Amino acid sequence: MRRTVFNEDHEAFRETIRAFIEAEVVPVYDEWFAAGQAPRDFYYKLAELGVFGIRVDEEYGGAGIDSYKFEAVMYEETSRAGVQFGGSGVHVLLGLPYIKMLAGDEQKKRFLPKFVSGEEMWALAMTEPGTGSDLAGMKTTAKLSEDGTHYVLNGAKTFITGGVHADRVIVCARTDAPSAEDRRHGISLFAVDTKSEGYSVGRKLDKLGLKTSDTAELAFVDVKVPVEDLLGEENKGFYYLGHNLASERWGIAFGAYAQAKAAVRFAKEYVQDRTVFGKSVASFQNTKFELAACQAEVDAAEAVADRALEALDAGELTPAEAASAKLFCTEVAHRVIDRCLQLHGGYGFMNEYPIARLYADNRVNRIYGGTSEIMKSIIAKDMGL
């Protein structure tokens, strides 16, 4: 089937990204993996390449292209090479939509040029210890000062991707108690400067996968946040979070599909080179059948991911559709990557092989951005169940 989602501009960008990965990432990726994060100066290289400004208006230093397709190309190319761009994904996929949707003109003038240049890396802090998917149960508070000039932020967050290197973090906090009718009432969003007194980064978390992505615990003790750094209106944060979850879940879905596609490529190359019992592993019928079944699943996931991408670019991707795409693509990736690792035999369990790292990296896709169980609940509700 002919794929129509990308045009010549996207393919030219693909060539640029592929060359960049080969020159700047592959040679040092083992060092990043051992260190548990990409170096901060790598993000300046991404900024110079222009990847942070693709969807940012030209007046703030961006390219002004209102499309997620270039990010989709990056998902495919990083997966193809078996690498990650550190924690930079949250900067664009999670941080930018909130700035574009909620920031006023003055805020955009302050935030976006530094966003594009990589001078300020952004992260999003929603999850708290003990709350998990129950965002309405968050305990972090932001109380307006008596003189009305700032909020006082107190609380803690965990599992914050990009949290070690972040210069600005969009922190979700309670500015009012939940109402009897709506537990989600009272949440607000703040663009918090990580240099603020009382703001601290706790442990850099040791994860099963995504080893080059810095993930941290954050703590806030009487952090003063200027009222000018409130994003949007008070107490409407839960609505804003729900609005942008569609793009986040598309990103996870597309990334999972790209990982599954890469896994088939890795397995195909391996079985063609590997010899057992005097024959290539690729020559056995079981190998052919396994890879054929995996390819069929990848084809289906690609169609789902592309359809969601087109809907997202058109501003028509619904929460239920995003949930469906995430559920399907992540489950496909889980099955495909597992089967492709099996074809590697014992070598598939070695981190020197990209399939092993891919196996570990992929596992979180069914957890973050909303678990598979949450996705099923959203889909079922949309079905009227």
Side-chain angles (χ1 to χ4, degrees):
M1 292 179 287
R2 186 172 67 90
R3 198 178 185 195
T4 60
V5 71
F6 298 123
N7 61 28
E8 293 180 358
D9 291 338
H10 302 123
E11 296 307 327
F13 180 70
R14 185 187 302 279
E15 292 181 10
T16 299
I17 288 294
R18 188 172 295 183
F20 175 82
I21 290 172
E22 288 299 317
E24 300 289 346
V25 182
V26 172
V28 294
Y29 196 70
D30 286 345
E31 298 174 19
W32 296 4
F33 190 86
Q37 63 185 32
R40 177 63 174 82
D41 61 5
F42 171 67
Y43 300 142
Y44 288 110
K45 293 180 181 180
L46 286 177
E48 290 172 7
L49 198 63
V51 301
F52 293 159
I54 293 172
R55 290 190 290 111
V56 175
D57 291 342
E58 293 182 38
E59 64 181 298
Y60 305 115
I65 302 173
D66 190 20
S67 172
Y68 284 82
K69 292 183 179 181
F70 293 94
E71 288 166 51
V73 168
M74 285 190 284
Y75 280 124
E76 290 186 332
E77 290 305 307
T78 51
S79 294
R80 178 185 181 277
V83 301
Q84 299 279 336
F85 280 171
S88 65
V90 300
H91 180 66
V92 176
L93 185 65
L94 301 189
L96 185 57
Y98 288 99
I99 302 173
K100 292 182 68 172
M101 179 175 72
L102 302 176
D105 291 340
E106 183 275 332
Q107 289 177 318
K108 288 179 179 178
K109 290 176 182 177
R110 280 195 293 130
F111 297 150
L112 286 174
K114 293 180 180 180
F115 180 99
V116 171
S117 70
E119 183 179 345
E120 283 191 351
M121 295 298 296
W122 286 61
L124 176 63
M126 292 191 289
T127 306
E128 295 184 0
T131 61
S133 298
D134 182 18
L135 294 179
M138 69 176 61
K139 301 292 193 294
T140 297
T141 60
K143 302 296 185 183
L144 187 63
S145 62
E146 292 185 3
D147 61 8
T149 61
H150 63 272
Y151 292 84
V152 180
L153 182 67
N154 283 283
K157 301 289 180 177
T158 193
F159 306 146
I160 308 306
T161 305
V164 175
H165 285 317
D167 302 288
R168 286 267 177 185
V169 176
I170 299 172
V171 177
C172 312
R174 283 208 164 276
T175 45
D176 195 9
S179 66
E181 299 78 20
D182 188 0
R183 294 178 63 239
R184 300 169 295 181
H185 170 79
I187 295 172
S188 301
L189 307 184
F190 300 90
V192 179
D193 185 342
T194 63
K195 297 185 296 295
S196 302
E197 184 177 354
Y199 180 105
S200 63
V201 177
R203 293 185 301 152
K204 179 168 73 69
L205 300 173
D206 184 15
K207 307 185 298 298
L208 170 67
L210 300 178
K211 289 291 190 178
T212 65
S213 172
D214 56 298
T215 303
E217 295 174 330
L218 307 179
F220 322 112
V221 180
D222 293 334
V223 177
K224 292 183 179 180
V225 182
V227 292
E228 292 81 9
D229 289 345
L230 171 70
L231 289 175
E233 297 181 37
E234 265 195 7
N235 303 325
K236 292 189 176 181
F238 199 95
Y239 163 77
Y240 300 143
L241 293 172
H243 183 274
N244 283 331
L245 277 173
S247 61
E248 178 183 354
R249 287 168 178 163
W250 163 80
I252 297 169
F254 203 95
Y257 138 71
Q259 289 176 325
K261 182 177 182 179
V264 172
R265 173 174 174 263
F266 295 146
K268 179 183 175 182
E269 292 175 351
Y270 178 82
V271 298
Q272 287 175 328
D273 292 338
R274 176 72 168 163
T275 300
V276 295
F277 306 120
K279 299 170 63 176
S280 74
V281 175
S283 68
F284 291 92
Q285 186 182 63
N286 179 68
T287 302
K288 295 176 182 179
F289 281 7
E290 282 292 283
L291 283 177
C294 287
Q295 183 62 54
E297 289 218 71
V298 168
D299 287 344
E302 180 179 87
V304 170
D306 284 357
R307 185 181 69 174
L309 173 56
E310 294 284 20
L312 181 64
D313 268 9
E316 298 172 353
L317 184 65
T318 68
E321 289 168 345
S324 178
K326 180 182 184 296
L327 177 65
F328 182 77
C329 291
T330 57
E331 294 292 340
V332 164
H334 161 64
R335 293 191 296 271
V336 167
I337 294 170
D338 184 75
R339 294 165 84 174
C340 288
L341 187 150
Q342 187 73 14
L343 289 172
H344 282 71
Y347 289 103
F349 206 64
M350 302 296 111
N351 273 327
E352 64 187 273
Y353 282 80
I355 192 69
R357 298 181 182 183
L358 197 59
Y359 183 87
D361 290 349
N362 169 75
R363 184 58 185 89
V364 76
N365 289 333
R366 292 181 288 149
I367 298 174
Y368 68 0
T371 64
S372 292
E373 292 73 25
I374 294 294
M375 298 304 100
K376 291 174 184 177
S377 295
I378 294 170
I379 298 164
K381 183 178 180 180
D382 186 68
M383 295 171 64
L385 299 175

